Amino acid sequence: KAINLGNDPLPAKLNLQGGDQIAATAHATVLSSASLADNNSLDQPTKIAPTESVVSAVGSNFSHEFPPRSLTVLRLKTK
């Protein structure tokens, strides 16, 4: 899990100790919004909704950029 409260994307280098058997792709679930003060409401029930994507080039050492104003959950699998 990673949280980026900033207004700019946050590049990160991830080094997973003991992660020599990590699969080459991962699943990302991201919640993000234009403003940290945004909320869902009865009028806009999906204003903030998770997006799903596949992250490639994953391994024991890889780089990933976390979007601004976001919560990201990366689900890694083993080979």
Side-chain angles (χ1 to χ4, degrees):
K1 297 176 192 170
I3 297 173
N4 178 6
L5 295 176
N7 293 322
D8 298 312
L10 181 64
K13 291 187 179 188
L14 304 168
N15 181 5
L16 306 174
Q17 299 293 321
D20 55 341
Q21 295 296 318
I22 302 295
T25 59
H27 181 81
T29 304
V30 180
L31 281 174
S32 65
S33 181
S35 169
L36 293 176
D38 283 345
N39 287 302
N40 290 346
S41 66
L42 292 175
D43 293 331
Q44 293 180 305
T46 59
K47 183 172 187 171
I48 303 170
T51 59
E52 309 285 332
S53 64
V54 174
V55 179
S56 57
V58 174
S60 59
N61 293 293
F62 67 101
S63 296
H64 185 74
E65 187 171 271
F66 296 96
R69 297 169 304 280
S70 68
L71 163 70
T72 302
V73 176
L74 285 176
R75 288 183 172 84
L76 306 169
K77 294 187 178 189
T78 56
K79 294 180 185 177

